[in-house]
Structures are given as structure tokens and as C-alpha cells.
């Protein structure tokens, strides 16, 4: 225990990554356990269906927002460690375990989204597929929710070490679909909510800020005209070397 006191946050995360991983998953799945417990105890209130639908949908969005927050969060934590003059954690790479944890958070987002769909099909439609198709054609929020869920499917399937190794650079491009899932999820939440209720806009604001940050970083990383011109004059072997160099 005394040894833990002298460890700094980044070092704690690195040395006890597995325990942190399990704690994170347990914390994010706790709302689902509470929903199940309240269902068994009959404590879901006057509208159990709405409680389940709103609960699973909101936690799916929360998990998506957390996954998007990993990159700016690493930079912010590194900055805090610099200000605090910590002997560890001052580099963004010191917080790389959070990147691995992001995959688990994304899978939990999919689990909540899938449960959200299951509740809708079971209790709203009673598995009436004709009614589901009709709702898909007539209700924009159903379209947005379907896009969000379908986008999360390949991300959940490939959130493992084997897929990262097999897909190589394509894995990172594939997982940019998380941005589309977040946008579609926000639209689904806003469009399905009655006018005058502002709760969805809190989620929208957080996710919009996180997406704006990613866009800002992407624009900053784009080479300027002079760099692009120099790159165009290099031979193919130099271009290949640049492409394959680590970022």
C-alpha cells in the first residue's frame, strides 16, 4: 500500500492497467445492472419502457463521448503533470494505456445501443418487422438511430488486438466511423425528444466540442502549401519512407 502512495497517476495506470480496465468496465456497466435490479424489484416508476429506452440510449452516448475524450484527455493530463512537475506523465505517450482502454469503452457503447434497439423491438413493436420498416421510412429519429447502431457494429467487432494487427493502417481509418456514430446518436436523441426539453443538447454540446477538437487537430496536421510542394518533388522511394514512418 505504501508503494502505491509514491506512484504517480500515469505510473499507476501503467502498472495496474488490468485493474483500471476492470474498474472502468464495472463503472460503465453499473447503470445496466441498476436497471436490471430495479426491473426485478419493480422500481422503474410509472413508465418502465421509457426508463429502459432513455437509460440505455443515454449511456451509449456517454460511452461514445468518453471514447472521443481519450485523445484530448491524454493531452490535458500531460499538461497537468507538467504544471505539477510530476516525474512521470508529462508526455502524451505516458498515457497510452488510455488508448487501449478506449476500445473497451466503445464496445460498451455498442452494448448499450444494442440493448436500446432490443427494448424498442420487444416492447414498442413486439417484433413487428413490418411496423419497424414503416417506422424507418416515416420517422427520421429511427433512421438516425439505425445509422448509429450499424456504424458501431464493425467497430465493436474489430475492437481487439487481432483486428488491429490484421487491418494495420486500415483499422484506424475504420474506427473513424465513431465520429459518424456520435453525430447520428445525437440526432437520434434530439429528434426523438419532445420540444422544450433541453437535456439532449447537453450531450450534443459535449460531443460537438470533442468533434471540433478532432477537426482542429486534423487541420493543424495537414501540411502547408510549401510542404506539399516539396513533397510533390520527392521521388517515390522518399514518399514511401515518409508514409511508413511512425507518427
Amino acid at each position: 500500500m505504501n508503494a502505491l502512495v509514491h506512484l504517480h497517476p500515469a505510473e499507476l495506470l501503467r502498472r495496474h492497467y488490468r485493474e483500471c480496465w476492470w474498474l472502468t468496465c464495472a463503472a460503465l456497466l453499473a447503470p445496466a445492472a441498476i436497471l436490471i435490479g430495479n426491473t426485478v424489484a419493480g422500481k422503474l416508476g410509472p413508465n418502465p419502457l421509457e426508463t429502459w429506452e432513455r437509460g440505455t440510449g443515454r449511456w451509449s452516448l456517454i460511452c461514445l463521448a468518453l471514447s472521443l475524450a481519450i485523445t484530448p484527455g491524454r493531452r490535458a493530463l500531460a499538461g497537468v503533470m507538467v504544471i505539477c512537475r510530476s516525474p512521470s506523465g508529462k508526455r502524451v505517450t505516458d498515457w497510452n494505456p488510455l488508448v487501449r482502454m478506449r476500445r473497451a469503452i466503445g464496445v460498451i457503447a455498442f452494448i448499450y445501443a444494442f440493448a436500446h434497439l432490443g427494448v424498442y423491438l420487444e416492447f414498442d413493436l413486439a417484433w413487428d418487422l413490418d411496423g419497424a420498416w414503416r417506422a424507418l421510412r416515416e420517422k427520421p429519429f429511427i433512421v438516425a438511430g439505425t445509422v448509429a447502431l450499424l456504424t458501431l457494429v464493425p467497430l465493436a467487432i474489430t475492437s481487439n488486438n487481432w483486428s488491429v494487427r490484421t487491418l494495420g493502417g486500415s483499422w484506424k481509418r475504420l474506427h473513424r466511423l465513431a465520429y459518424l456514430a456520435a453525430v447520428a446518436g445525437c440526432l437520434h436523441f434530439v429528434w426523438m425528444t419532445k420540444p422544450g426539453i433541453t437535456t439532449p443538447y447537453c450531450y450534443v454540446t459535449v460531443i460537438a466540442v470533442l468533434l471540433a477538437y478532432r477537426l482542429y487537430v486534423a487541420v493543424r496536421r495537414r501540411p502547408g502549401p510549401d510542404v506539399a510542394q516539396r513533397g510533390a518533388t520527392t521521388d517515390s522511394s522518399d514518399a514511401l519512407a515518409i508514409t511508413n514512418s511512425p507518427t
Side-chain angles (χ1 to χ4, degrees):
M1 184 67 182
N2 290 333
L4 289 179
V5 173
H6 298 289
L7 290 177
H8 292 268
E11 193 67 15
L12 273 172
L13 180 62
R14 185 182 68 82
R15 293 193 185 187
H16 300 279
Y17 172 76
R18 186 172 294 276
E19 292 87 341
C20 293
W21 187 92
W22 280 109
L23 283 172
T24 300
C25 291
L28 292 177
L29 289 171
I34 292 171
L35 270 175
I36 294 171
N38 286 339
T39 301
V40 173
K43 297 180 179 179
L44 287 181
N47 195 337
L49 172 60
E50 183 177 353
T51 301
W52 265 95
E53 286 185 338
R54 294 301 173 93
T56 53
R58 286 178 180 177
W59 275 100
S60 181
L61 268 183
I62 289 171
C63 290
L64 273 174
L66 286 174
S67 69
L68 293 175
I70 294 294
T71 296
R74 288 166 65 221
R75 294 183 181 275
L77 287 169
V80 170
M81 293 300 105
V82 170
I83 294 171
C84 295
R85 298 183 179 180
S86 172
S88 65
K90 292 184 284 188
R91 299 174 301 174
V92 175
T93 53
D94 291 338
W95 300 94
N96 278 352
L98 292 176
V99 177
R100 286 185 287 155
M101 201 174 289
R102 177 167 54 195
R103 284 185 258 162
I105 296 173
V107 171
I108 294 173
F110 169 75
I111 291 171
Y112 276 115
F114 191 76
H116 185 69
L117 172 67
V119 169
Y120 174 71
L121 289 176
E122 172 66 25
F123 298 104
D124 261 2
L125 297 180
W127 295 96
D128 178 9
L129 298 184
D130 289 335
W133 176 244
R134 212 164 34 245
L136 190 62
R137 287 181 298 171
E138 297 173 359
K139 299 178 180 179
F141 76 88
I142 297 293
V143 175
T146 302
V147 169
L149 179 63
L150 292 179
T151 304
L152 288 173
V153 170
L155 306 189
I157 292 174
T158 58
S159 289
N160 53 73
N161 292 333
W162 181 83
S163 296
V164 173
R165 292 193 301 269
T166 304
L167 296 176
S170 299
W171 186 90
K172 189 172 183 179
R173 290 192 292 272
L174 174 65
H175 278 250
R176 287 173 183 159
L177 286 173
Y179 307 151
L180 174 60
V183 171
C186 286
L187 290 175
H188 174 70
F189 196 9
V190 170
W191 287 344
M192 72 176 289
T193 304
K194 296 177 181 178
I197 299 177
T198 59
T199 303
Y201 297 100
C202 299
Y203 296 82
V204 171
T205 300
V206 171
I207 288 177
V209 169
L210 292 170
L211 291 177
Y213 170 82
R214 300 303 289 257
L215 180 61
Y216 168 73
V217 171
V219 170
R220 280 194 62 187
R221 285 179 178 173
R222 292 179 66 180
D226 54 336
V227 177
Q229 183 62 32
R230 288 199 302 271
T233 59
T234 57
D235 58 30
S236 59
S237 62
D238 288 338
L240 182 59
I242 294 171
T243 302
N244 292 330
S245 64
T247 54

